[in-house]
Short mmCIF file of all heavy atoms in Angstrom, two decimals:
data_model
loop_
_atom_site.label_atom_id
_atom_site.label_comp_id
_atom_site.label_asym_id
_atom_site.label_seq_id
_atom_site.Cartn_x
_atom_site.Cartn_y
_atom_site.Cartn_z
N GLN A 64 -19.91 -197.20 215.49
CA GLN A 64 -19.21 -196.28 216.37
C GLN A 64 -19.08 -194.89 215.72
O GLN A 64 -18.64 -194.77 214.60
CB GLN A 64 -17.83 -196.83 216.74
CG GLN A 64 -16.87 -197.04 215.58
CD GLN A 64 -17.14 -198.26 214.70
OE1 GLN A 64 -18.12 -198.97 214.86
NE2 GLN A 64 -16.26 -198.51 213.75
N LEU A 67 -15.96 -193.49 213.88
CA LEU A 67 -15.68 -193.72 212.46
C LEU A 67 -15.97 -192.47 211.63
O LEU A 67 -15.27 -192.20 210.65
CB LEU A 67 -16.51 -194.91 211.93
CG LEU A 67 -16.39 -195.21 210.44
CD1 LEU A 67 -14.96 -195.60 210.08
CD2 LEU A 67 -17.37 -196.30 210.03
N LEU A 94 -16.30 -200.87 219.51
CA LEU A 94 -17.19 -201.95 219.07
C LEU A 94 -16.43 -203.04 218.33
O LEU A 94 -16.69 -204.23 218.52
CB LEU A 94 -18.29 -201.40 218.17
CG LEU A 94 -19.30 -200.44 218.79
CD1 LEU A 94 -20.27 -199.94 217.73
CD2 LEU A 94 -20.04 -201.09 219.95
N LEU A 95 -15.50 -202.64 217.46
CA LEU A 95 -14.79 -203.60 216.62
C LEU A 95 -13.86 -204.51 217.43
O LEU A 95 -13.52 -205.60 216.98
CB LEU A 95 -13.99 -202.87 215.55
CG LEU A 95 -14.79 -201.88 214.69
CD1 LEU A 95 -13.87 -201.19 213.69
CD2 LEU A 95 -15.95 -202.55 214.01
N LEU A 116 -19.16 -208.82 212.69
CA LEU A 116 -18.87 -207.57 212.00
C LEU A 116 -19.74 -207.40 210.77
O LEU A 116 -20.02 -208.38 210.06
CB LEU A 116 -17.41 -207.55 211.54
CG LEU A 116 -16.35 -207.62 212.63
CD1 LEU A 116 -14.99 -207.91 212.02
CD2 LEU A 116 -16.32 -206.33 213.42
N ARG A 117 -20.13 -206.17 210.52
CA ARG A 117 -20.82 -205.88 209.26
C ARG A 117 -19.76 -205.85 208.16
O ARG A 117 -18.70 -205.26 208.34
CB ARG A 117 -21.51 -204.53 209.32
CG ARG A 117 -22.13 -204.19 207.98
CD ARG A 117 -22.59 -202.79 207.94
NE ARG A 117 -23.27 -202.51 206.68
CZ ARG A 117 -23.60 -201.30 206.33
NH1 ARG A 117 -23.33 -200.29 207.12
NH2 ARG A 117 -24.20 -201.09 205.19
N THR A 118 -20.05 -206.45 207.05
CA THR A 118 -19.14 -206.43 205.92
C THR A 118 -19.47 -205.25 205.02
O THR A 118 -20.61 -205.14 204.56
CB THR A 118 -19.25 -207.75 205.11
OG1 THR A 118 -18.92 -208.83 205.98
CG2 THR A 118 -18.33 -207.75 203.93
N PRO A 119 -18.50 -204.35 204.80
CA PRO A 119 -18.75 -203.25 203.87
C PRO A 119 -19.10 -203.80 202.49
O PRO A 119 -18.53 -204.81 202.05
CB PRO A 119 -17.41 -202.51 203.84
CG PRO A 119 -16.76 -202.86 205.13
CD PRO A 119 -17.18 -204.28 205.41
N ALA A 133 -12.92 -196.88 202.28
CA ALA A 133 -12.58 -196.17 203.52
C ALA A 133 -13.00 -196.97 204.76
O ALA A 133 -12.45 -196.76 205.84
CB ALA A 133 -13.23 -194.80 203.53
N CYS A 134 -13.94 -197.89 204.59
CA CYS A 134 -14.41 -198.72 205.71
C CYS A 134 -13.69 -200.06 205.79
O CYS A 134 -14.09 -200.94 206.55
CB CYS A 134 -15.92 -198.92 205.63
SG CYS A 134 -16.84 -197.42 206.03
N LEU A 135 -12.66 -200.19 205.01
CA LEU A 135 -11.81 -201.38 205.06
C LEU A 135 -10.38 -200.92 205.35
O LEU A 135 -9.94 -199.87 204.88
CB LEU A 135 -11.84 -202.13 203.73
CG LEU A 135 -13.16 -202.81 203.38
CD1 LEU A 135 -13.15 -203.27 201.93
CD2 LEU A 135 -13.40 -204.00 204.31
N GLY A 136 -9.67 -201.69 206.12
CA GLY A 136 -8.28 -201.38 206.42
C GLY A 136 -7.50 -202.66 206.61
O GLY A 136 -7.99 -203.76 206.33
N ARG A 137 -6.28 -202.50 207.08
CA ARG A 137 -5.41 -203.65 207.36
C ARG A 137 -4.84 -203.51 208.76
O ARG A 137 -4.52 -202.41 209.20
CB ARG A 137 -4.23 -203.70 206.36
CG ARG A 137 -4.64 -203.94 204.93
CD ARG A 137 -4.84 -205.39 204.69
NE ARG A 137 -5.32 -205.62 203.32
CZ ARG A 137 -5.77 -206.76 202.91
NH1 ARG A 137 -5.80 -207.80 203.72
NH2 ARG A 137 -6.21 -206.91 201.69
N GLY A 142 -4.04 -208.41 208.00
CA GLY A 142 -5.41 -208.90 207.93
C GLY A 142 -6.41 -207.78 207.66
O GLY A 142 -6.16 -206.62 207.98
N VAL A 143 -7.53 -208.13 207.07
CA VAL A 143 -8.57 -207.15 206.74
C VAL A 143 -9.26 -206.68 208.02
O VAL A 143 -9.61 -207.48 208.89
CB VAL A 143 -9.62 -207.77 205.78
CG1 VAL A 143 -10.77 -206.80 205.55
CG2 VAL A 143 -8.98 -208.16 204.46
N VAL A 144 -9.45 -205.36 208.12
CA VAL A 144 -10.20 -204.75 209.22
C VAL A 144 -11.47 -204.17 208.63
O VAL A 144 -11.42 -203.32 207.74
CB VAL A 144 -9.37 -203.65 209.92
CG1 VAL A 144 -10.21 -202.95 210.98
CG2 VAL A 144 -8.10 -204.22 210.52
N ARG A 145 -12.61 -204.65 209.11
CA ARG A 145 -13.91 -204.14 208.67
C ARG A 145 -14.38 -203.12 209.70
O ARG A 145 -14.57 -203.46 210.85
CB ARG A 145 -14.91 -205.30 208.55
CG ARG A 145 -14.56 -206.26 207.45
CD ARG A 145 -15.36 -207.57 207.57
NE ARG A 145 -15.07 -208.46 206.48
CZ ARG A 145 -14.05 -209.30 206.45
NH1 ARG A 145 -13.19 -209.35 207.46
NH2 ARG A 145 -13.85 -210.09 205.41
N LYS A 146 -14.58 -201.87 209.26
CA LYS A 146 -14.88 -200.77 210.18
C LYS A 146 -16.34 -200.34 210.15
O LYS A 146 -16.69 -199.35 210.79
CB LYS A 146 -14.01 -199.56 209.83
CG LYS A 146 -12.53 -199.83 209.84
CD LYS A 146 -11.79 -198.59 209.39
CE LYS A 146 -10.33 -198.88 209.18
NZ LYS A 146 -9.63 -197.67 208.70
N ALA A 147 -17.21 -201.04 209.43
CA ALA A 147 -18.59 -200.60 209.21
C ALA A 147 -19.54 -201.00 210.33
O ALA A 147 -20.74 -201.10 210.13
CB ALA A 147 -19.10 -201.11 207.87
N GLY A 148 -19.01 -201.27 211.52
CA GLY A 148 -19.85 -201.56 212.67
C GLY A 148 -20.01 -203.04 212.94
O GLY A 148 -19.36 -203.88 212.33
N ILE A 149 -20.89 -203.31 213.89
CA ILE A 149 -21.13 -204.69 214.33
C ILE A 149 -22.62 -205.00 214.24
O ILE A 149 -23.45 -204.10 214.19
CB ILE A 149 -20.61 -204.94 215.76
CG1 ILE A 149 -21.34 -204.05 216.78
CG2 ILE A 149 -19.10 -204.73 215.83
CD1 ILE A 149 -21.03 -204.38 218.23
N ARG A 176 -12.55 -213.63 218.52
CA ARG A 176 -12.53 -212.40 217.73
C ARG A 176 -13.73 -212.37 216.77
O ARG A 176 -14.11 -213.39 216.22
CB ARG A 176 -11.22 -212.34 216.95
CG ARG A 176 -10.99 -211.06 216.25
CD ARG A 176 -9.65 -211.05 215.59
NE ARG A 176 -9.46 -209.79 214.91
CZ ARG A 176 -8.32 -209.34 214.51
NH1 ARG A 176 -7.23 -210.05 214.69
NH2 ARG A 176 -8.25 -208.19 213.89
N LEU A 177 -14.28 -211.17 216.57
CA LEU A 177 -15.43 -211.04 215.67
C LEU A 177 -15.03 -211.30 214.22
O LEU A 177 -13.98 -210.87 213.77
CB LEU A 177 -16.02 -209.63 215.77
CG LEU A 177 -16.65 -209.24 217.10
CD1 LEU A 177 -17.15 -207.80 217.03
CD2 LEU A 177 -17.78 -210.18 217.47
N GLY A 178 -15.91 -211.98 213.52
CA GLY A 178 -15.77 -212.20 212.09
C GLY A 178 -16.99 -211.63 211.38
O GLY A 178 -17.96 -211.23 212.04
N PRO A 179 -16.98 -211.60 210.07
CA PRO A 179 -18.13 -211.06 209.34
C PRO A 179 -19.36 -211.96 209.47
O PRO A 179 -19.25 -213.17 209.57
CB PRO A 179 -17.66 -210.99 207.90
CG PRO A 179 -16.48 -211.90 207.82
CD PRO A 179 -15.91 -212.02 209.19
N VAL A 180 -20.56 -211.31 209.50
CA VAL A 180 -21.82 -212.06 209.48
C VAL A 180 -22.62 -211.67 208.26
O VAL A 180 -22.41 -210.66 207.67
CB VAL A 180 -22.68 -211.85 210.74
CG1 VAL A 180 -22.07 -212.54 211.92
CG2 VAL A 180 -22.94 -210.40 211.02
#
Side-chain angles (χ1 to χ4, degrees):
Q64 62 284 5
L67 176 63
L94 295 177
L95 306 178
L116 298 167
R117 176 190 184 190
T118 300
C134 288
L135 292 168
R137 295 277 176 190
V143 174
V144 175
R145 293 166 178 85
K146 303 176 189 178
I149 62 172
R176 188 176 180 164
L177 295 178
V180 287

